[in-house]
Amino acid sequence: MTTTFTGTAPAAVQTERRSRKTGARTVPGVPRWAYWAAHAAALTTLPSALWRLPMTWGYGMGFTDEAMTDLHVPGWGSVYVLVLILLSELASFATLGLIQPWGERFPRWMPFVGGRRVSVRFAVTTAMLGATTVLLYTVGYFYTWTHRSAGSPTGAWAWLMNASFAPVVAWGPLLIAVTVHYHRRRRAARPA
């Protein structure tokens, strides 16, 4: 049995059904493009995290031994890299809150705010500050791509590093697009 969906509302229903199969719910009114943009944004940091992870174990990933010593890896530098991985993954995962119920109402398990509605202003301001931060990071990324410091990866290692960090460039624009949609959708849903 084949069902054909046309228009925005049925696509949102189709997206909601599809996401239920994976255990995550998408709120009604989220078009397919926003669904995919939010998920793509959430995945943009994964390649760089996978590239950084071996560094926490002391594997150089193309950095010279002197550079690894300067970075204090292994050592407290490993802890810094691990925290950086966790924070970037959590921040990118938060993009999904713009299309799922927990972005409209805080989960009950959260202390002090559990069960309360998420303020549109709070969510949009937080997301836009995050997008601005990511866009600034992108400028730094392009600078470090063209101006390598001593001991940085070269050759194939440099290409692997660049390929791992390149998806992060898409995070800012994807986050902005999903945030604008979130703002419009939540404002339109407000009772008059």
Side-chain angles (χ1 to χ4, degrees):
M1 179 171 152
T2 304
T3 306
T4 304
F5 291 104
T6 59
T8 304
V13 171
Q14 185 180 15
T15 300
E16 186 174 1
R17 287 182 186 153
R18 178 177 38 252
S19 60
R20 281 187 189 156
K21 291 177 185 175
T22 62
R25 290 185 314 142
T26 302
V27 295
V30 173
R32 183 178 298 218
W33 72 263
Y35 174 88
W36 289 111
H39 283 81
L43 292 173
T44 57
T45 57
L46 187 59
S48 61
L50 293 174
W51 184 85
R52 284 180 174 136
L53 195 58
M55 290 183 70
T56 63
W57 304 314
Y59 189 73
M61 299 301 290
F63 283 97
T64 64
D65 290 340
E66 296 80 22
M68 292 295 282
T69 301
D70 290 344
L71 294 170
H72 302 284
V73 176
W76 70 266
S78 296
V79 174
Y80 168 77
V81 172
L82 189 57
V83 168
L84 190 61
I85 290 169
L86 292 174
L87 290 177
S88 64
E89 290 303 310
L90 285 173
S92 65
F93 176 77
T95 306
L96 296 176
L98 298 171
I99 63 163
Q100 294 181 351
W102 56 273
E104 295 185 13
R105 186 168 299 279
F106 289 107
R108 294 220 176 268
W109 58 264
M110 293 182 76
F112 308 112
V113 295
R116 292 185 182 176
R117 285 190 61 79
V118 175
S119 160
V120 175
R121 179 178 290 161
F122 170 76
V124 169
T125 301
T126 304
M128 286 302 202
L129 285 172
T132 302
T133 302
V134 171
L135 290 173
L136 290 172
Y137 169 82
T138 301
V139 171
Y141 167 73
F142 283 119
Y143 177 81
T144 57
W145 191 10
T146 57
H147 298 84
R148 296 276 180 214
S149 60
S152 292
T154 58
W157 282 112
W159 282 103
L160 178 61
M161 182 175 76
N162 289 332
S164 299
F165 282 87
V168 177
V169 173
W171 184 12
L174 289 169
L175 180 54
I176 290 170
V178 176
T179 302
V180 169
H181 173 267
Y182 174 89
H183 181 262
R184 288 180 179 166
R185 181 175 49 79
R186 292 284 308 273
R187 290 289 181 199
R190 270 190 170 177

